[in-house]
Each structure stands twice: as C-alpha cells, then as structure tokens.
Amino acid sequence: MPEEENKPDIGPPRISFATFLLKVLAGAAGGVGGTLILVVIFFLASAVFQPITSGLAEGESVSPIFIFVLMMMIFLSSTTGNIVSTWLMALSEKDKYTRLSSAIYQVFIVSVIIFILMVPVYFITATSNISITAYAIALHIIISAQVSALILEIVSNYKHALIGVYGVTFSILISAGLMFGLGGFIKAPQILLFIALPVVWGSIAFVQSLTTVLYGWIARMYDKDFLSTQTMYGQDYGNEVESVEEVEAPKAEDEAGSDFLRHN
C-alpha cells in the first residue's frame, strides 16, 4: 500500500468535470470576443461589405478597399479570439499551463505571420470569384486557431504536448466539418462568418479536453504514458531523455577579466 500511495500518477493531470466545463466555456468565450470585434467592424464598414451582403452585379469588380477592410477585419477578430481563448483556457488550468505569457507572445507573432501569408490568397480569391473568399476566411480562422492552440500546449505543457497535438487536430477536423456542413444549409455567408470563431474555439476546448480525459484513463489503465515526449519507441528505445525541468545550464566560475578572455 505505501508503494502504491507514493507511486506517481501516470499520464496527464486529471481534469475534473468543473474544470472541463470551465475550459469549454473559456474557449467559446474567447471566440465570442473575436466575433464582437468582427461585428463592430462589419457594421462600421457595412457599405464596403456590400459584395458580401448582396453579391456582385454581373461584370462588377471588387474594390481594393473591400479587400483591405476584409483582411483587417479577419486579422483583428481572429487574433483577438486566439489571444483571449488561449488566455482564458490557460487560466482554467493554471497548474498545467505555467508559461502563459510566453505562449501569448508566440500566438500574436504567429497570427501576424499567418495574416501576411494569407494576403495574396485574399486578393486572388476576391478578384477571381468573391464566393471563394468565404473559404479563404475559413482557412485563415481555422489555421490560426489550430496553431495558437498548439502553441499553448507545446510552450506550457511540454511533457504531454503530443496529447495537445492529437486533441487539437481532432477538434479542427470536427469544427471544419461542422462549418462546411452548416454552409450547405445556411445561405447567408455573413452568418457563418460570425459563428466561425466560437465554433472553432469551442470545439478546440471541448475535443482537446475530452482527448486528455480519455487518454489519461487509457494511460492509467495500462500503466504506460504512451504519448509522453519522454517515451521512446523503435530505435530510440533505451536512450533515456532528460526531463526539461532537470536540464540546467552549468554555472560559470568567477574569473578575472584577463582569464575570461583567454578562456576557450
């Protein structure tokens, strides 16, 4: 009995039902925050977004102002949703996500990079066929949310980052299926635009948490942490990897200035 009591818990930290529910609400709330930015910009520039609300007349071209405002609207709303969602989700599990500030910095940086890479995609789709632009927007929102969630898992939870990779990947597939499924029933594209962020981030929080719970149950049942980054497979088996927490840079000895310069 004493050995079992001192035995470390296998797998990721356990998630209570209250934490599970709080994390799902946090993800959805972050998506709603991004949607509010979307709504404000949309109504302030409603005249510019006439091609979305009423379509283009035959032979009519898309204004460059429309493309620019559209890009800024998606960038600001998705970046806000990504940052707020990662922040709220991290607060729901403070013991697990211990490097929140670093994660948020990385989320902002990657959001800017994704936006820059998406600029030519917006111009190509908007000038060729305005209806295809909706797919470009969905691609932008889904990719930026996925990368942001992965950053939160990898930066703040290195040992079990693989669980985050699996969970986030499953959630993106499910949320993408939901969005494209709804697209077949909802004829107004602006509605899909407004529900995209809450759906994507709510799905990430729910499916990733559910994946963590199910994997934790499997790992404890078989007494094996299969998805730990320190678990070796194949030819790597037997090559022990030091824990990140155990690796410390050696301290330099105090040396005089002349000795320090001669040090190789």
PDB file of all heavy atoms in Angstrom, residues 45-70:
ATOM      1  N   ALA A  45     -18.272  49.354 -41.377  1.00  0.00           N
ATOM      2  CA  ALA A  45     -17.906  49.389 -42.789  1.00  0.00           C
ATOM      3  C   ALA A  45     -18.930  48.633 -43.630  1.00  0.00           C
ATOM      4  O   ALA A  45     -18.582  47.958 -44.595  1.00  0.00           O
ATOM      5  CB  ALA A  45     -16.515  48.792 -42.979  1.00  0.00           C
ATOM      6  N   SER A  46     -20.196  48.735 -43.263  1.00  0.00           N
ATOM      7  CA  SER A  46     -21.245  47.983 -43.950  1.00  0.00           C
ATOM      8  C   SER A  46     -21.340  48.321 -45.435  1.00  0.00           C
ATOM      9  O   SER A  46     -21.647  47.463 -46.262  1.00  0.00           O
ATOM     10  CB  SER A  46     -22.596  48.226 -43.274  1.00  0.00           C
ATOM     11  OG  SER A  46     -22.894  49.622 -43.242  1.00  0.00           O
ATOM     12  N   ALA A  47     -21.051  49.584 -45.764  1.00  0.00           N
ATOM     13  CA  ALA A  47     -21.107  49.980 -47.177  1.00  0.00           C
ATOM     14  C   ALA A  47     -20.016  49.285 -47.982  1.00  0.00           C
ATOM     15  O   ALA A  47     -20.220  48.915 -49.148  1.00  0.00           O
ATOM     16  CB  ALA A  47     -20.962  51.499 -47.301  1.00  0.00           C
ATOM     17  N   VAL A  48     -18.872  49.077 -47.356  1.00  0.00           N
ATOM     18  CA  VAL A  48     -17.756  48.429 -48.043  1.00  0.00           C
ATOM     19  C   VAL A  48     -18.054  46.958 -48.282  1.00  0.00           C
ATOM     20  O   VAL A  48     -17.643  46.377 -49.286  1.00  0.00           O
ATOM     21  CB  VAL A  48     -16.455  48.585 -47.212  1.00  0.00           C
ATOM     22  CG1 VAL A  48     -15.295  47.842 -47.863  1.00  0.00           C
ATOM     23  CG2 VAL A  48     -16.120  50.050 -47.037  1.00  0.00           C
ATOM     24  N   PHE A  49     -18.811  46.327 -47.360  1.00  0.00           N
ATOM     25  CA  PHE A  49     -19.077  44.903 -47.447  1.00  0.00           C
ATOM     26  C   PHE A  49     -20.327  44.579 -48.250  1.00  0.00           C
ATOM     27  O   PHE A  49     -20.903  43.513 -48.092  1.00  0.00           O
ATOM     28  CB  PHE A  49     -19.195  44.310 -46.039  1.00  0.00           C
ATOM     29  CG  PHE A  49     -17.895  44.254 -45.305  1.00  0.00           C
ATOM     30  CD1 PHE A  49     -17.674  45.057 -44.197  1.00  0.00           C
ATOM     31  CD2 PHE A  49     -16.877  43.430 -45.738  1.00  0.00           C
ATOM     32  CE1 PHE A  49     -16.474  45.014 -43.526  1.00  0.00           C
ATOM     33  CE2 PHE A  49     -15.671  43.374 -45.077  1.00  0.00           C
ATOM     34  CZ  PHE A  49     -15.465  44.164 -43.972  1.00  0.00           C
ATOM     35  N   GLN A  50     -20.753  45.484 -49.125  1.00  0.00           N
ATOM     36  CA  GLN A  50     -21.892  45.235 -49.994  1.00  0.00           C
ATOM     37  C   GLN A  50     -21.722  43.983 -50.855  1.00  0.00           C
ATOM     38  O   GLN A  50     -22.699  43.243 -51.075  1.00  0.00           O
ATOM     39  CB  GLN A  50     -22.148  46.466 -50.875  1.00  0.00           C
ATOM     40  CG  GLN A  50     -23.354  46.373 -51.780  1.00  0.00           C
ATOM     41  CD  GLN A  50     -23.011  45.803 -53.145  1.00  0.00           C
ATOM     42  OE1 GLN A  50     -21.846  45.844 -53.559  1.00  0.00           O
ATOM     43  NE2 GLN A  50     -24.023  45.296 -53.836  1.00  0.00           N
ATOM     44  N   PRO A  51     -20.495  43.654 -51.346  1.00  0.00           N
ATOM     45  CA  PRO A  51     -20.354  42.417 -52.127  1.00  0.00           C
ATOM     46  C   PRO A  51     -20.702  41.165 -51.335  1.00  0.00           C
ATOM     47  O   PRO A  51     -21.127  40.159 -51.906  1.00  0.00           O
ATOM     48  CB  PRO A  51     -18.870  42.427 -52.517  1.00  0.00           C
ATOM     49  CG  PRO A  51     -18.487  43.865 -52.508  1.00  0.00           C
ATOM     50  CD  PRO A  51     -19.277  44.470 -51.389  1.00  0.00           C
ATOM     51  N   ILE A  52     -20.528  41.191 -49.997  1.00  0.00           N
ATOM     52  CA  ILE A  52     -20.861  40.023 -49.190  1.00  0.00           C
ATOM     53  C   ILE A  52     -22.357  39.959 -48.913  1.00  0.00           C
ATOM     54  O   ILE A  52     -22.978  38.896 -48.982  1.00  0.00           O
ATOM     55  CB  ILE A  52     -20.069  40.040 -47.860  1.00  0.00           C
ATOM     56  CG1 ILE A  52     -18.593  39.730 -48.125  1.00  0.00           C
ATOM     57  CG2 ILE A  52     -20.640  39.030 -46.871  1.00  0.00           C
ATOM     58  CD1 ILE A  52     -17.756  39.684 -46.876  1.00  0.00           C
ATOM     59  N   THR A  53     -22.943  41.103 -48.586  1.00  0.00           N
ATOM     60  CA  THR A  53     -24.340  41.123 -48.157  1.00  0.00           C
ATOM     61  C   THR A  53     -25.318  40.970 -49.325  1.00  0.00           C
ATOM     62  O   THR A  53     -26.366  40.354 -49.175  1.00  0.00           O
ATOM     63  CB  THR A  53     -24.641  42.434 -47.425  1.00  0.00           C
ATOM     64  OG1 THR A  53     -24.311  43.546 -48.277  1.00  0.00           O
ATOM     65  CG2 THR A  53     -23.814  42.542 -46.162  1.00  0.00           C
ATOM     66  N   SER A  54     -24.993  41.530 -50.470  1.00  0.00           N
ATOM     67  CA  SER A  54     -25.951  41.474 -51.590  1.00  0.00           C
ATOM     68  C   SER A  54     -25.372  40.895 -52.866  1.00  0.00           C
ATOM     69  O   SER A  54     -26.079  40.757 -53.850  1.00  0.00           O
ATOM     70  CB  SER A  54     -26.473  42.898 -51.872  1.00  0.00           C
ATOM     71  OG  SER A  54     -25.400  43.774 -52.190  1.00  0.00           O
ATOM     72  N   GLY A  55     -24.087  40.559 -52.867  1.00  0.00           N
ATOM     73  CA  GLY A  55     -23.475  39.971 -54.048  1.00  0.00           C
ATOM     74  C   GLY A  55     -23.039  41.018 -55.060  1.00  0.00           C
ATOM     75  O   GLY A  55     -23.331  42.209 -54.935  1.00  0.00           O
ATOM     76  N   LEU A  56     -22.343  40.565 -56.070  1.00  0.00           N
ATOM     77  CA  LEU A  56     -21.836  41.446 -57.121  1.00  0.00           C
ATOM     78  C   LEU A  56     -22.745  41.397 -58.342  1.00  0.00           C
ATOM     79  O   LEU A  56     -23.274  40.338 -58.698  1.00  0.00           O
ATOM     80  CB  LEU A  56     -20.420  41.027 -57.538  1.00  0.00           C
ATOM     81  CG  LEU A  56     -19.277  41.352 -56.578  1.00  0.00           C
ATOM     82  CD1 LEU A  56     -17.993  40.712 -57.073  1.00  0.00           C
ATOM     83  CD2 LEU A  56     -19.107  42.854 -56.447  1.00  0.00           C
ATOM     84  N   ALA A  57     -22.902  42.568 -58.963  1.00  0.00           N
ATOM     85  CA  ALA A  57     -23.614  42.597 -60.236  1.00  0.00           C
ATOM     86  C   ALA A  57     -22.716  42.024 -61.326  1.00  0.00           C
ATOM     87  O   ALA A  57     -21.499  41.981 -61.184  1.00  0.00           O
ATOM     88  CB  ALA A  57     -24.015  44.037 -60.573  1.00  0.00           C
ATOM     89  N   GLU A  58     -23.324  41.574 -62.401  1.00  0.00           N
ATOM     90  CA  GLU A  58     -22.559  40.963 -63.494  1.00  0.00           C
ATOM     91  C   GLU A  58     -21.568  41.963 -64.073  1.00  0.00           C
ATOM     92  O   GLU A  58     -21.915  43.089 -64.419  1.00  0.00           O
ATOM     93  CB  GLU A  58     -23.520  40.469 -64.575  1.00  0.00           C
ATOM     94  CG  GLU A  58     -22.806  39.702 -65.682  1.00  0.00           C
ATOM     95  CD  GLU A  58     -23.794  39.158 -66.697  1.00  0.00           C
ATOM     96  OE1 GLU A  58     -25.013  39.273 -66.464  1.00  0.00           O
ATOM     97  OE2 GLU A  58     -23.322  38.620 -67.717  1.00  0.00           O
ATOM     98  N   GLY A  59     -20.309  41.553 -64.153  1.00  0.00           N
ATOM     99  CA  GLY A  59     -19.258  42.412 -64.690  1.00  0.00           C
ATOM    100  C   GLY A  59     -18.676  43.379 -63.678  1.00  0.00           C
ATOM    101  O   GLY A  59     -17.730  44.100 -63.996  1.00  0.00           O
ATOM    102  N   GLU A  60     -19.215  43.434 -62.471  1.00  0.00           N
ATOM    103  CA  GLU A  60     -18.717  44.362 -61.453  1.00  0.00           C
ATOM    104  C   GLU A  60     -17.485  43.776 -60.777  1.00  0.00           C
ATOM    105  O   GLU A  60     -17.457  42.583 -60.436  1.00  0.00           O
ATOM    106  CB  GLU A  60     -19.809  44.635 -60.419  1.00  0.00           C
ATOM    107  CG  GLU A  60     -19.409  45.673 -59.367  1.00  0.00           C
ATOM    108  CD  GLU A  60     -20.502  45.900 -58.346  1.00  0.00           C
ATOM    109  OE1 GLU A  60     -21.581  45.276 -58.507  1.00  0.00           O
ATOM    110  OE2 GLU A  60     -20.292  46.680 -57.400  1.00  0.00           O
ATOM    111  N   SER A  61     -16.455  44.591 -60.562  1.00  0.00           N
ATOM    112  CA  SER A  61     -15.221  44.138 -59.918  1.00  0.00           C
ATOM    113  C   SER A  61     -15.229  44.506 -58.437  1.00  0.00           C
ATOM    114  O   SER A  61     -15.971  45.381 -58.006  1.00  0.00           O
ATOM    115  CB  SER A  61     -13.996  44.769 -60.607  1.00  0.00           C
ATOM    116  OG  SER A  61     -14.056  46.185 -60.516  1.00  0.00           O
ATOM    117  N   VAL A  62     -14.383  43.836 -57.681  1.00  0.00           N
ATOM    118  CA  VAL A  62     -14.288  44.073 -56.250  1.00  0.00           C
ATOM    119  C   VAL A  62     -13.333  45.226 -55.991  1.00  0.00           C
ATOM    120  O   VAL A  62     -12.243  45.287 -56.542  1.00  0.00           O
ATOM    121  CB  VAL A  62     -13.795  42.805 -55.525  1.00  0.00           C
ATOM    122  CG1 VAL A  62     -13.642  43.058 -54.030  1.00  0.00           C
ATOM    123  CG2 VAL A  62     -14.749  41.658 -55.766  1.00  0.00           C
ATOM    124  N   SER A  63     -13.741  46.139 -55.118  1.00  0.00           N
ATOM    125  CA  SER A  63     -12.907  47.288 -54.781  1.00  0.00           C
ATOM    126  C   SER A  63     -11.730  46.849 -53.924  1.00  0.00           C
ATOM    127  O   SER A  63     -11.867  45.997 -53.032  1.00  0.00           O
ATOM    128  CB  SER A  63     -13.739  48.328 -54.027  1.00  0.00           C
ATOM    129  OG  SER A  63     -12.898  49.315 -53.467  1.00  0.00           O
ATOM    130  N   PRO A  64     -10.536  47.435 -54.153  1.00  0.00           N
ATOM    131  CA  PRO A  64      -9.381  47.137 -53.295  1.00  0.00           C
ATOM    132  C   PRO A  64      -9.641  47.503 -51.835  1.00  0.00           C
ATOM    133  O   PRO A  64      -9.089  46.869 -50.936  1.00  0.00           O
ATOM    134  CB  PRO A  64      -8.264  48.000 -53.894  1.00  0.00           C
ATOM    135  CG  PRO A  64      -8.678  48.244 -55.302  1.00  0.00           C
ATOM    136  CD  PRO A  64     -10.170  48.303 -55.283  1.00  0.00           C
ATOM    137  N   ILE A  65     -10.490  48.523 -51.612  1.00  0.00           N
ATOM    138  CA  ILE A  65     -10.828  48.909 -50.237  1.00  0.00           C
ATOM    139  C   ILE A  65     -11.563  47.763 -49.543  1.00  0.00           C
ATOM    140  O   ILE A  65     -11.335  47.480 -48.357  1.00  0.00           O
ATOM    141  CB  ILE A  65     -11.693  50.187 -50.229  1.00  0.00           C
ATOM    142  CG1 ILE A  65     -10.921  51.346 -50.861  1.00  0.00           C
ATOM    143  CG2 ILE A  65     -12.135  50.526 -48.814  1.00  0.00           C
ATOM    144  CD1 ILE A  65     -11.727  52.621 -50.956  1.00  0.00           C
ATOM    145  N   PHE A  66     -12.451  47.087 -50.286  1.00  0.00           N
ATOM    146  CA  PHE A  66     -13.163  45.944 -49.733  1.00  0.00           C
ATOM    147  C   PHE A  66     -12.193  44.862 -49.283  1.00  0.00           C
ATOM    148  O   PHE A  66     -12.319  44.312 -48.177  1.00  0.00           O
ATOM    149  CB  PHE A  66     -14.127  45.378 -50.783  1.00  0.00           C
ATOM    150  CG  PHE A  66     -14.609  43.990 -50.484  1.00  0.00           C
ATOM    151  CD1 PHE A  66     -15.613  43.772 -49.557  1.00  0.00           C
ATOM    152  CD2 PHE A  66     -14.039  42.899 -51.126  1.00  0.00           C
ATOM    153  CE1 PHE A  66     -16.055  42.498 -49.274  1.00  0.00           C
ATOM    154  CE2 PHE A  66     -14.475  41.619 -50.845  1.00  0.00           C
ATOM    155  CZ  PHE A  66     -15.482  41.419 -49.923  1.00  0.00           C
ATOM    156  N   ILE A  67     -11.211  44.550 -50.124  1.00  0.00           N
ATOM    157  CA  ILE A  67     -10.241  43.502 -49.794  1.00  0.00           C
ATOM    158  C   ILE A  67      -9.429  43.888 -48.567  1.00  0.00           C
ATOM    159  O   ILE A  67      -9.203  43.075 -47.665  1.00  0.00           O
ATOM    160  CB  ILE A  67      -9.311  43.226 -50.999  1.00  0.00           C
ATOM    161  CG1 ILE A  67     -10.141  42.829 -52.224  1.00  0.00           C
ATOM    162  CG2 ILE A  67      -8.301  42.138 -50.661  1.00  0.00           C
ATOM    163  CD1 ILE A  67      -9.322  42.658 -53.489  1.00  0.00           C
ATOM    164  N   PHE A  68      -8.997  45.143 -48.513  1.00  0.00           N
ATOM    165  CA  PHE A  68      -8.179  45.612 -47.389  1.00  0.00           C
ATOM    166  C   PHE A  68      -8.961  45.564 -46.067  1.00  0.00           C
ATOM    167  O   PHE A  68      -8.473  45.036 -45.059  1.00  0.00           O
ATOM    168  CB  PHE A  68      -7.697  47.036 -47.651  1.00  0.00           C
ATOM    169  CG  PHE A  68      -6.966  47.645 -46.488  1.00  0.00           C
ATOM    170  CD1 PHE A  68      -5.659  47.292 -46.213  1.00  0.00           C
ATOM    171  CD2 PHE A  68      -7.603  48.570 -45.662  1.00  0.00           C
ATOM    172  CE1 PHE A  68      -4.985  47.841 -45.127  1.00  0.00           C
ATOM    173  CE2 PHE A  68      -6.942  49.127 -44.580  1.00  0.00           C
ATOM    174  CZ  PHE A  68      -5.622  48.763 -44.315  1.00  0.00           C
ATOM    175  N   VAL A  69     -10.191  46.087 -46.084  1.00  0.00           N
ATOM    176  CA  VAL A  69     -11.005  46.098 -44.860  1.00  0.00           C
ATOM    177  C   VAL A  69     -11.343  44.674 -44.444  1.00  0.00           C
ATOM    178  O   VAL A  69     -11.339  44.347 -43.243  1.00  0.00           O
ATOM    179  CB  VAL A  69     -12.291  46.924 -45.080  1.00  0.00           C
ATOM    180  CG1 VAL A  69     -13.191  46.830 -43.857  1.00  0.00           C
ATOM    181  CG2 VAL A  69     -11.942  48.373 -45.374  1.00  0.00           C
ATOM    182  N   LEU A  70     -11.623  43.802 -45.417  1.00  0.00           N
ATOM    183  CA  LEU A  70     -11.921  42.409 -45.106  1.00  0.00           C
ATOM    184  C   LEU A  70     -10.729  41.735 -44.423  1.00  0.00           C
ATOM    185  O   LEU A  70     -10.891  41.039 -43.409  1.00  0.00           O
ATOM    186  CB  LEU A  70     -12.284  41.657 -46.381  1.00  0.00           C
ATOM    187  CG  LEU A  70     -12.558  40.153 -46.232  1.00  0.00           C
ATOM    188  CD1 LEU A  70     -13.817  39.933 -45.402  1.00  0.00           C
ATOM    189  CD2 LEU A  70     -12.681  39.497 -47.600  1.00  0.00           C
TER     190      LEU A  70
END
